[in-house]
Amino acid sequence: MLRRTDLVREVLDDDASFRLLCSLAAAAEARNGRESRRIAALAPQGRRDLAPGMARYGELQERNARLLAGLLDDCGLEPAEVPPEADHAVLLERRGSCPAHARMRCGQPLSERDVLAHLAHGYAASSRAAAWLVRLAGHASRRPGAGEAVREVFRAEREYLAWCREGMLGFVRAGHVAAVELVLRENALAEARAHRDAALAVLARTGHLLGWSMARSVVLEGGVQARYARERLAGRRRTVNLDTLPALPGPGPGPGPGPGPGPGPGPWRGAARAGPGTEPGTEGPSGEAATASPGV
């Protein structure tokens, strides 16, 4: 049996694999930050109230990219080349789950449905990133400055989850329950496929850097495929639970309570679930916590 904690430590302790993970996260944060601010500027008149929050998150993402780049610099490491096949954000957009990104690049105005898709798109990706950061938090202190960097990025993801949740609840209160449930499910399933593909690509690159045996790589890749199959069979039950937000364990000050009350039961009983999957601290052969793209 391969222990998840041992895999995380192995990846974090090696300069080459640590450099790859930090570079993947920093590139995704910088790219998503620029696009979030551009989408905020194109929000339709009826949803202009969401634009300030969207722009603020874009700024937080770009700040996190600088934070991660600074972490690499403090460790005496140069940013690594980001393999496109391992870029979670790029893969997710290729699934076509968020038309707002395509419209944004063409400078086209966005519709309210585009804004809703963007909220669900961000919620699915950030819920995965938050779960990944929770699993990483207990081990990140092995690198000077990494523990606080993980907590800072987590706080931004948690704030964004709260903002996306409140934005989608605004659509629910306006009577668009079915549309919210549908777009949540579409984005959750698209994110699961993107995560599988990115995780396999990162595993392959990490295995090469660390000299893993073929047998070990096959076992870890099988774990990623098995997790994806479970998510598909369960309708991608990784939380799109808009009731709660994840809390950060581990040393150092964690984030406080989530902003705003949850929606309680009601219309979400039938929604797709897309949030943190395996609980922090569990062990198994998937290798996801050690090598999957943060997807932030």
Side-chain angles (χ1 to χ4, degrees):
M1 182 69 74
L2 299 173
R3 292 170 57 88
R4 185 189 298 274
T5 53
D6 292 341
L7 285 168
V8 174
R9 288 170 185 162
E10 182 180 3
V11 170
L12 292 181
D13 286 348
D14 182 84
D15 282 348
S17 55
F18 177 76
R19 174 174 169 248
L20 173 63
L21 287 185
C22 271
S23 299
L24 281 166
E29 290 282 294
R31 180 173 178 275
N32 289 341
R34 290 191 300 269
E35 296 199 346
S36 291
R37 290 193 294 106
R38 291 177 65 188
I39 289 174
L42 296 172
Q45 190 62 39
R47 294 292 170 177
R48 291 301 301 169
D49 58 310
L50 294 174
M54 204 180 301
R56 168 175 163 71
Y57 182 62
E59 293 169 359
L60 288 176
Q61 286 177 307
E62 292 181 320
R63 183 209 65 184
N64 288 340
R66 294 190 294 271
L67 179 67
L68 292 166
L71 177 60
L72 281 174
D73 188 57
D74 291 344
C75 294
L77 301 172
E78 294 290 330
E81 179 184 356
V82 176
E85 66 275 12
D87 193 321
H88 178 275
V90 170
L91 293 175
L92 184 53
E93 286 183 26
R94 287 177 183 170
R95 302 295 187 264
S97 59
C98 187
H101 288 267
R103 292 181 184 276
M104 175 269 297
R105 292 192 185 96
C106 297
Q108 298 176 355
L110 306 181
S111 67
E112 291 201 4
R113 178 61 183 246
D114 291 332
V115 172
L116 174 57
H118 178 69
L119 291 171
H121 172 95
Y123 195 88
S126 287
S127 63
R128 178 84 75 177
W132 186 85
L133 290 164
V134 165
R135 289 193 289 268
L136 185 63
H139 309 283
S141 58
R142 298 171 69 86
R143 290 265 179 181
E148 184 55 34
V150 167
R151 285 187 285 275
E152 284 298 316
V153 175
F154 178 87
R155 290 184 187 103
E157 293 300 327
R158 194 170 181 273
E159 180 178 329
Y160 187 53
L161 284 171
W163 178 79
C164 288
R165 178 186 66 176
E166 187 58 33
M168 287 186 284
L169 287 174
F171 279 91
V172 169
R173 288 189 287 268
H176 304 297
V177 177
V180 172
E181 292 185 352
L182 176 61
V183 78
L184 278 171
R185 180 177 177 80
E186 288 175 346
N187 279 272
L189 293 174
E191 193 281 333
R193 290 193 297 273
H195 175 72
R196 176 202 58 186
D197 295 345
L200 290 173
V202 175
L203 274 174
R205 182 65 64 95
T206 304
H208 175 73
L209 293 172
L210 298 178
W212 288 345
S213 67
M214 179 65 72
R216 189 183 197 191
S217 295
V218 167
V219 170
L220 292 172
E221 289 170 6
V224 172
Q225 294 284 13
R227 182 180 179 85
Y228 172 70
R230 289 196 302 270
E231 290 184 349
R232 287 287 299 172
L233 288 173
R236 173 65 165 91
R237 298 175 63 87
R238 247 191 69 230
T239 333
V240 177
N241 172 2
L242 301 182
D243 294 338
T244 58
L245 295 175
L248 178 63
W268 299 109
R269 294 190 180 277
R273 300 174 62 83
T278 308
E279 292 298 317
T282 57
E283 299 173 356
S286 73
E288 179 187 0
T291 55
S293 166
V296 290

